[in-house]
Structure formats: C-alpha cells, structure tokens
Amino acid sequence: MPLPGPDTRVVELRVPGLIGTSGESLLDSVGTVEVAGDGVGRIIRPADRLRRPAPGPVLQALGRSVPRTLEGYLWSRMTSGGAAKATWALLFPFSLANVAHWMLPPVPEGRKLAALLGVLCRALLRTAALLLTMLLMSQLAVVTLDLFAAQCLAPGAACLASGPSWLRDVAGVRTAIGVVPLFLVVLVLHRVSSAKWRINAPERSTEPGPKLPGDELTDGPDTAALRCLHTVAALATVALLLLGGPLRVPQPTADMVLWVPTLVLLGIAVLATAVRAHRLFGAVTRAVFLLVAAALAVAAAVVRTPLPAALPGTDDTVEGIGAVLLAVCVVFAVLLAPAALLARPAWAALPRRLRPWAGGWAAAPTLALAGLLGGGFGAGLAIALRQLLRVDGLRLPESYTLITVLWGGALAVTALFTVSGFAIAVPLRRATRGVPDVVRLMETSEGDAREAAAAWARASWERKYLHRIVLAIVFLMALGVAVLLAVRFSYGSVPGWLDPLSGLGVVALWALAAGLLRVVYTAATGPQRNRHLAAFTDLVCFWPRAAHPAVPPSYALKVVPELAERARHHLAEPSTRVVLAGYHVGGLLAVLTAARLAAELPETDRSRVGVLTAGAPLQWGYQRAFPALFPHDSLARLYGELDGRWRGLCRGTDTFGGGATTWRHQVAHDKLLGVGYLPDGGVGALKPAIQGPTGVLVLGGDHWLPDPMREPINGRRWVAGVRRHADYVADPEWDRAIVLAAGLERADMTTRLAEQVPLFGDLLGQPRRR
C-alpha cells in the first residue's frame, strides 16, 4: 500500500439502504446538490448556501487533518415514485418466486447428480412462476369477468340497480367491462418485464479469476423468451376461462375450434418455460406467438358474447391452476432436499450461525409463500368486492372458502408465535442473562446498561428465531393446505366447525388486499408517500430476473457498475483513496462494488480502495439465504484482496446489522474474542478486541458500537437513546472506521495517538488525561 503523503485525500462514497433515503440524511447535511448521474442514479455532495458542492468534514489521521470529499449515490428513484412503480407492489408474489431462484444451493463442481437436480429445480421454479402468472390472471378474471360483468351486471340482477341500463342491455359492453381490464393487466405485465435501467458504465470484464461475491448476479439470457411465454400464458388463461375451462370440452363447434389451439398454445408455453428453450424463440417467433395468443383471447371474448349469468369455467380454471401449482411446489421441495444435502460440504465446517437457512432448503418455503400470497391476494380481492357490493347470491369459487380457513389459521398461529416470542421469550431471555458482558466492556453507564441489555436480548432473540418463525408459519400453512384438501374431498365441503377460522381468514384477506392496494395508492399519489412501497421493492428488486420476467428491473445491476465507475474516476488521481460506505442494503452494494473493483483494478489502485458497511444484513441474512451468491470463502477472499480494509460498524441491539466479518464472539478475562476473516484471505482466531476512544470494541474488521452512545461529543451531532438500526453515521466511530478503511491507520494506532495528542483525543471524544 502506498504511504499517505501530504497531498493524500479521502473520497467517501456513501450508498443508502432501505426506504428511499434522502440526500440530506445520507450525507448528514442540511443540503445537497447533484454533481453527476442520469437523474435515476444520482451522485450528490453537500451544498453550501449558494447550492455549490462543498467539501466534507476533514478526517483526523496520523495526528493531522486529512481532506475528505463526501459523495453519495442515490438510487431510490429506481424503486419508488410514480404510478408505474406503484403497481410493483401487486407483483410481490412474482418477486418472491424470482428470489427463490437465487436462494438455490450451489451446485458442487464435478457432481453429475447435483447438476441434474439443479437443472430440475430451476425448471420447476420457472414452471411455478408461470403458473403464478396464470393464477393471477384467473383470479382477476373471477373478479372482473365472472363476479362483476357476468353476475353483477346480468339482466335483472339486483346488483348496482341504480346504474345505467345500457351496462346490462348491451351485450358487448358487459363483455368489454370484464375483458378489457384483463388485457390491460397483461399489457402492464409485459411492460414491466420489458423495463431496463440504462447503465452508464462499461461492461464488466469477463476474464476468469477467483470467485468473488456476486459474480453470478446477472440478468438471465432468456428474459425476452420468458416475457413472451408469460404473456402468451396469461392471454391463453383468459381465453380458456371464457371457453369453459380446461376440464370441459365445449359443445359448440366455434368454441371447440378455439379451445383446442388455446390448450395447445398453453402447453407449448409451459413446456418451453420448463426446458428453457429460449434459443428457439427469436424475435419473429415471439411476435407470432403473441399475435396468435391475442387473437385467441379476443375471439373467445367474441364467441362468449353475450355473457351468461355465471361463467361455467371459473371454478375449473382457478382450482386446476392451483392444483398444478401445488403439485409443482411439492415436487420442487422434494427434489431440493437432496440438492441441499449434496451442497452441504460447502458449509459443513462453518458454525451454525453462518450456515444457510433450513440447510439450503429455504427456496422451497419461499416459493410456497409466493403461491400462498398470490392465492390469498386474489381471493381477498374477490371477497372484498363481494362484501362491498352487498348483494346476496354472488358466487365465488368454492376453493376460496378453503383459502379463508387457511389464512384464518395462519393469522391465529402468527398471533400465537408473536405473543409467545415478544411477550414471553424475550423478557425471559433478558431476565436470565442479565446485562451482557460485552456491554460492561463498553463502559456503558448503569442506566444505559439496563436499556441496552433489553435491546440486546430482543435483537439476539430475533436474529436467532425470526427466520425460523417465518419458515414455521409457511410450513404450517403448507401442511394446512394438505389437511384442508383432505377434509374437502372427504366431507365434500368445509365442516361447519371451521367457520370461525373462515371468518378470521376473511378479515386477514381483507387486510392483505386493502394493504397492498393502499400501498399502490400512496405510491401513486405523491413522491413523498411511497415509503411503504419502498420497503417491499428495495428488498425484492435487488435480484435480476431469473425465474419470473414480470418483476421490477434489478437496481443492483445499475448501481454496482456505476459506483465502480465513479470510484475509478476518483482513483485516477494517485493521491486519492476511495472508501465505499454503505448502510443496510447499501453495505451489500458496497461489498459487491468492491468485489468488482478487486477483480478489475491493478494492485496499485486496488490498494487505495476500502469498504465500510454499517448495519448490513450480509452475515445474518444474505450470506445464509443466498449461499450460491455469497459463499463464505468468497467473502474471506475479498477481505484478503482488500488487506483488511473492510470495516463493519455493528450493534448488538440491531437485529439485522450484527457482525459483518467476525463471529463466535465470547468474553474471557475482560477481553472480547472471536473468529473472523484475516487480511491474508483466510479465516481464524482474532486478536482480542481493541477498545477505542468512544467505548467501541474493534474485533478484526468489526467495530461493535456502544448503544446508547456514551456521551455527547463537542462538535458532533448527538443522538440519545438506543438507536438499534438507525443513525450509524452519527456515531463518532464512523469517521474512525473511514480512516481505517482508507488504510491511513491501524486499529491500535488511533488509541495511542489519542493518548499522546490531546487535541486528537478531544476530536475523538476521549477525555484528556492529566
């Protein structure tokens, strides 16, 4: 590493985390101004009163002041703002199915059985994603086509009696009211799957090298083909429902002429999706398939005019798609189990807290949750509309009763787990363990120690059990599906003693449908009212399209290369050092950017790059949920490539932002010990933690912050109370971690300097020693 000279400066490039962080909060400044970017990805700096870029606060390093340029990369416009992005909330089940693809366990090299299981699991995932599209269209058709157009607007019906008579009397109008919204939904799905971000950076180098985190994070080559196949399947589902469903052979010749090619087209779409036949679907082939599917859907609407009082194919279509989806999910779960076992040697030597969730099997419950949410939202929307119409006799598919019972049971189980956990288990953990030894090591005051101990107890319990509770609820709901189906086929209908659960389920589905629609409304009515949507999209929009095309475009594919290009821009000046500083998911983006730079930059430039993650869910969440994307050895290798210039700010009170580079923590002889990544790229026991001037404990690359902060510091913003996941940048350790990530000092140097130079100790918040 080059030694710091008199011209050395540090560029701190901050990356925000969740929920549309503003520029002012990102840079901790009263004003910001854009200095680069394309309006979607924006580079900002602090601004003076004339809205000119201003320098950042200086850093204290080596007993002197080092200039710092403070920049931020804002990407919130990629996930929120505007009516178009508002509809993304309705695609959450699709996004979950897409996320399940990235959760699959890695395929060991040279294992043919593992490779075969990987191919089969990915084929089943793509098929399940296609069935989710078909389920959405069939359930929306239940609402617009059957419940509203066919039943509510039937001639002589008591529903909406005050409406204009021509809505009922003109047959074509009734059909259009039911069909046009479905065609618009298909168009929206097609447009969403076509959306891409323009990347203002050169393409990534494809030279082979050691595997680093995120190497496989790219858009699939078959996105265009999947987009065509999903659109074809959606149109064919509408046509099939109009023609009487897949299980009834229509009697009129005109219906038969349309029914057979519709089934054939749907079968081709399912088969091509499963076998990934994207090479056969060029631009001309895709256009032909889309035209044929659209023509069949329009022709089916014409021959079904006038609509009957109730569509006979509704139950068959919805229940048939649901049954096939259930079967695919079961087969996927069964095949995923041996695939996870074959991949187990990759993490068998790791401690349990670093191993993948559910032993690498977490993709199965994630896919099941996608199906449960998709079915629940469609049923909730239909039930809510029937309740709002307040008319007796409006009929819905019988399977919706099973869905209400299922969600009623899920609501009861969730309430039981929540009460048991937060009202019993967390207080019991706090009472039995007392104040953690590490809190005492941080020299926290007695009053703050009690508050910190309660927050530590809750956060540690949530880190250990929160994902298990979610997996347990999904498993119980999947088991409930099997039980309810057995009861349905045994009794012919749902027993009366399940009516209370059905009523509770109606409330749950009402809340689900109303909640998602409210998210859409708040996102569409104003740019400042979209934080609810951002909480969804920031999590699921991280992943490129793989299993499902109708998901929002991945912001990671734009943010990472543009961050890397900005870092290269600053590294062109030999005396500049760049620190990529990310908060929450921004920390993950910073790590991926550093991995890209480590693979592409020469050693002279790479030695001037560092990373700071704050509250990043990398170790607790992403490393365990996505073992193929963030394998343990690749993270250790990146730490070695950076020669230890990866610093992680973490709090024991933060559920999602625990340790980033260390684990197996214990206190022995008043010293914090642990295991973690080593600067040589290996893993091993670390030297005892060094206590910094503000009470922080620096163990390896992790800085464990006292929470609450110990005392106000002259010249710095003060934040009182337990902060958990917020206000990392307000902690004085942020600047110290930037100094270490820039390679200006080692962790043990700052404490010695604070003791030797009184002014330096004041700036770091350490009282002067007399």
Side-chain angles (χ1 to χ4, degrees):
M1 174 185 294
L3 295 175
D7 297 330
T8 296
R9 72 181 182 103
V10 174
V11 174
E12 180 185 342
L13 187 52
R14 292 183 185 175
V15 192
L18 293 177
I19 318 180
T21 306
S22 67
E24 289 74 17
S25 61
L26 175 63
L27 300 186
D28 207 20
S29 172
V30 295
T32 61
V33 62
E34 293 185 30
V35 295
D38 58 4
V40 178
R42 296 171 290 157
I43 303 292
I44 60 171
R45 286 187 185 178
D48 61 15
R49 293 184 178 181
L50 298 179
R51 297 194 59 78
R52 295 174 300 187
V58 297
L59 293 169
Q60 298 299 325
L62 302 174
R64 62 184 178 88
S65 297
V66 176
R68 168 168 55 175
T69 300
L70 187 58
E71 291 188 344
Y73 184 99
L74 287 179
W75 49 270
S76 57
R77 291 183 181 176
M78 301 182 201
T79 59
S80 58
K85 297 185 183 69
T87 59
W88 292 358
L90 302 178
L91 307 179
F92 191 58
F94 297 169
S95 298
L96 274 182
N98 192 65
V99 169
H101 172 91
W102 298 103
M103 298 178 77
L104 290 173
V107 177
E109 294 184 5
R111 302 292 296 271
K112 294 183 178 180
L113 179 58
L116 175 61
L117 289 172
V119 170
L120 293 175
C121 286
R122 284 163 175 79
L124 290 170
L125 256 178
R126 291 192 297 272
T127 304
L130 183 71
L131 291 169
L132 280 174
T133 299
M134 296 168 60
L135 182 64
L136 172 69
M137 295 308 304
S138 63
Q139 289 187 316
L140 290 179
V142 167
V143 174
T144 65
L145 195 55
D146 185 20
L147 184 65
F148 192 71
Q151 297 184 50
C152 183
L153 295 181
C159 180
L160 298 179
S162 60
S165 59
W166 53 268
L167 290 178
R168 306 173 187 275
D169 298 338
V170 181
V173 172
R174 280 182 64 208
T175 304
I177 289 174
V179 171
V180 169
L182 300 177
F183 290 164
L184 291 177
V185 170
V186 174
L187 178 62
V188 169
L189 294 179
H190 188 80
R191 291 293 301 273
V192 168
S193 61
S194 304
K196 291 182 64 177
W197 301 121
R198 182 169 59 89
I199 301 174
N200 301 303
E203 293 186 4
R204 183 174 184 174
S205 172
T206 57
E207 296 181 4
K211 186 174 182 180
L212 290 172
D215 280 350
E216 300 178 8
L217 203 66
T218 57
D219 251 336
D222 54 352
T223 301
L226 281 178
R227 177 169 61 247
C228 169
L229 294 171
H230 278 250
T231 305
V232 167
L235 292 169
T237 300
V238 175
L240 203 60
L241 190 142
L242 285 166
L243 296 172
L247 303 180
R248 297 185 182 186
V249 180
Q251 297 302 323
T253 304
D255 290 7
M256 176 66 76
V257 170
L258 296 175
W259 185 76
V260 172
T262 300
L263 278 181
V264 172
L265 192 65
L266 195 56
I268 293 174
V270 173
L271 181 62
T273 300
V275 300
R276 200 175 183 181
H278 58 279
R279 292 182 179 87
L280 302 178
F281 283 81
V284 176
T285 306
R286 294 198 301 268
V288 170
F289 266 74
L290 290 173
L291 288 174
V292 171
L296 287 173
V298 172
V302 171
V303 301
R304 185 53 60 225
T305 304
L307 292 174
L311 290 179
T314 301
D315 290 10
D316 291 345
T317 305
V318 174
E319 294 180 0
I321 294 173
V324 176
L325 177 60
L326 175 62
V328 170
C329 289
V330 171
V331 175
F332 173 75
V334 171
L335 293 180
L336 185 60
L341 288 175
L342 290 174
R344 191 176 184 275
W347 58 73
L350 299 178
R352 291 187 179 275
R353 63 174 295 174
L354 297 182
R355 296 179 186 177
W357 289 342
W361 192 72
T366 301
L367 180 61
L369 181 60
L372 292 169
L373 285 174
F377 173 72
L381 190 63
I383 292 171
L385 180 60
R386 185 174 66 175
Q387 296 286 347
L388 289 174
L389 292 175
R390 299 178 182 273
V391 176
D392 296 331
L394 295 180
R395 192 184 64 85
L396 292 175
E398 295 181 4
S399 58
Y400 281 17
T401 304
L402 296 179
I403 295 177
T404 59
V405 174
L406 179 66
W407 279 90
L411 185 60
V413 171
T414 302
L416 178 63
F417 282 170
T418 302
V419 172
S420 300
F422 293 101
I424 300 176
V426 173
L428 185 62
R429 185 186 185 97
R430 165 70 179 91
T432 55
R433 301 199 176 189
V435 178
D437 292 335
V438 67
V439 175
R440 295 192 180 96
L441 290 181
M442 293 177 180
E443 302 177 0
T444 306
S445 65
E446 183 177 351
D448 287 342
R450 290 192 296 270
E451 188 178 5
W456 271 72
R458 174 168 179 168
S460 60
W461 185 88
E462 289 177 343
R463 274 195 296 269
K464 188 174 183 180
Y465 294 108
L466 198 59
H467 66 283
R468 297 178 181 177
I469 290 176
V470 174
L471 293 175
I473 292 174
V474 174
F475 176 77
L476 290 175
M477 290 184 71
L479 185 63
V481 171
V483 172
L484 289 174
L485 288 176
V487 170
R488 163 78 182 278
F489 289 114
S490 299
Y491 292 90
S493 62
V494 178
W497 53 271
L498 289 177
D499 287 345
L501 278 182
S502 179
L504 188 61
V506 171
V507 175
L509 293 175
W510 254 92
L512 177 65
L516 284 176
L517 292 177
R518 180 178 179 274
V519 164
V520 172
Y521 172 76
T522 55
T525 52
Q528 301 302 322
R529 302 184 63 192
N530 51 34
R531 290 181 177 266
H532 301 85
L533 177 63
F536 284 107
T537 54
D538 287 356
L539 290 172
V540 298
C541 297
F542 179 88
W543 303 102
R545 298 178 176 115
H548 204 300
V551 296
S554 168
Y555 60 83
L557 297 183
K558 176 178 173 66
V559 174
V560 171
E562 292 189 356
L563 275 175
E565 185 64 19
R566 189 64 180 178
R568 289 192 191 91
H569 169 76
H570 290 297
L571 291 171
E573 185 179 339
S575 60
T576 298
R577 304 185 179 211
V578 175
V579 176
L580 301 161
Y583 166 71
H584 198 269
V585 174
L588 189 62
L589 295 168
V591 168
L592 294 177
T593 304
R596 182 174 182 136
L597 292 172
E600 298 178 353
L601 291 178
E603 172 59 28
T604 54
D605 290 341
R606 185 168 64 242
S607 63
R608 293 184 287 126
V609 175
V611 175
L612 171 63
T613 58
L618 178 60
Q619 187 182 101
W620 174 85
Y622 283 78
Q623 183 179 345
R624 303 181 66 189
F626 309 98
L629 270 295
F630 302 100
H632 181 73
D633 57 347
S634 71
L635 294 170
R637 188 176 299 112
L638 175 61
Y639 192 85
E641 292 281 355
L642 297 175
D643 194 25
R645 295 186 306 280
W646 175 359
R647 317 307 300 180
L649 297 186
C650 41
R651 295 185 179 127
T653 58
D654 185 353
T655 300
F656 306 107
T661 66
T662 63
W663 54 92
R664 281 183 173 168
H665 309 105
Q666 59 178 317
V667 176
H669 306 293
D670 293 331
K671 294 289 186 181
L672 177 62
L673 308 176
V675 177
Y677 303 136
L678 300 175
D680 62 0
V683 173
L686 301 169
K687 295 180 180 179
I690 300 170
Q691 186 160 30
T694 60
V696 65
L697 296 174
V698 182
L699 179 67
D702 285 348
H703 300 234
W704 289 92
L705 308 180
D707 190 24
M709 294 165 57
R710 288 203 314 192
E711 57 190 359
I713 297 175
N714 186 30
R716 293 196 64 94
R717 181 166 66 91
W718 166 251
V719 182
V722 175
R723 304 311 303 158
R724 293 183 176 88
H725 196 61
D727 293 311
Y728 275 93
V729 71
D731 196 290
E733 188 64 16
W734 181 283
D735 284 359
R736 181 167 176 253
I738 292 292
V739 169
L740 299 182
L744 300 177
E745 292 180 358
R746 298 190 309 271
D748 59 340
M749 292 176 59
T750 308
T751 302
R752 295 202 306 269
L753 284 169
E755 295 174 352
Q756 298 168 6
V757 185
L759 176 61
F760 191 71
D762 287 346
L763 291 171
L764 288 178
Q766 180 167 311
R768 299 186 185 185
R769 299 191 179 186
R770 296 174 182 265

